[in-house]
Amino acid sequence: MARSVKKGPFVDHHLMAKVDKARGGNDKRPIKTWSRRSTIVPDFIGLTIAVHNGKQHVPVYVTENMVGHKLGEFALTRIFKSHSAVGKKTDDAVGDRRGPPGGGTPAPAAAAPAAAPAGKK
């Protein structure tokens, strides 16, 4: 369920204080925060906020398109590492079923063998 419009966007007070301080002093250093739940507001545009992902702080440069989203959306917490042995076998098996390169259906001459002339025996 979304947050009520009457309440307005949620931003942690300590993060808003850091943003106000950075805006006042024209400070371009990243602002470190653990507040992944805070909503991005227009005051954040143009700042770099280092959001903690559980292991490290990921720098996020805030643009106009990010307003209304949460900070945690831009600092991923999980890293997918492929299933190396299984992936290789799957790719080889799929490669055989793909058909001719270039896609589409094969040409009719290539699909059926050429017929022998009827006049010669």
Side-chain angles (χ1 to χ4, degrees):
M1 178 181 255
R3 184 174 167 90
S4 171
V5 176
K6 179 176 71 172
K7 293 181 183 179
F10 173 80
V11 181
D12 274 325
H13 296 291
H14 59 84
L15 177 60
M16 202 61 192
K18 289 180 183 181
V19 169
D20 290 338
K21 185 177 176 183
R23 283 262 178 229
N26 284 337
D27 193 8
K28 290 294 181 182
R29 289 183 294 163
I31 299 169
K32 273 190 177 181
T33 186
W34 283 260
S35 177
R36 300 172 56 83
R37 63 187 181 171
S38 293
T39 305
I40 298 173
V41 293
D43 294 343
F44 293 6
I45 295 175
L47 296 175
T48 302
I49 300 176
V51 184
H52 198 255
N53 70 353
K55 183 177 180 182
Q56 60 189 7
H57 285 89
V58 179
V60 176
Y61 180 76
V62 180
T63 61
E64 191 174 326
N65 296 335
M66 297 179 180
V67 173
H69 291 270
K70 303 287 185 178
L71 284 173
E73 294 180 42
F74 303 101
L76 302 178
T77 57
R78 295 180 176 93
I79 300 172
F80 174 72
K81 295 184 180 175
S82 66
H83 309 287
S84 59
V86 176
K88 289 180 184 176
K89 291 179 187 175
T90 304
D91 289 341
D92 293 340
V94 172
D96 297 338
R97 292 184 280 157
R98 288 188 186 153
T105 57
K120 295 184 181 180
K121 289 189 180 183

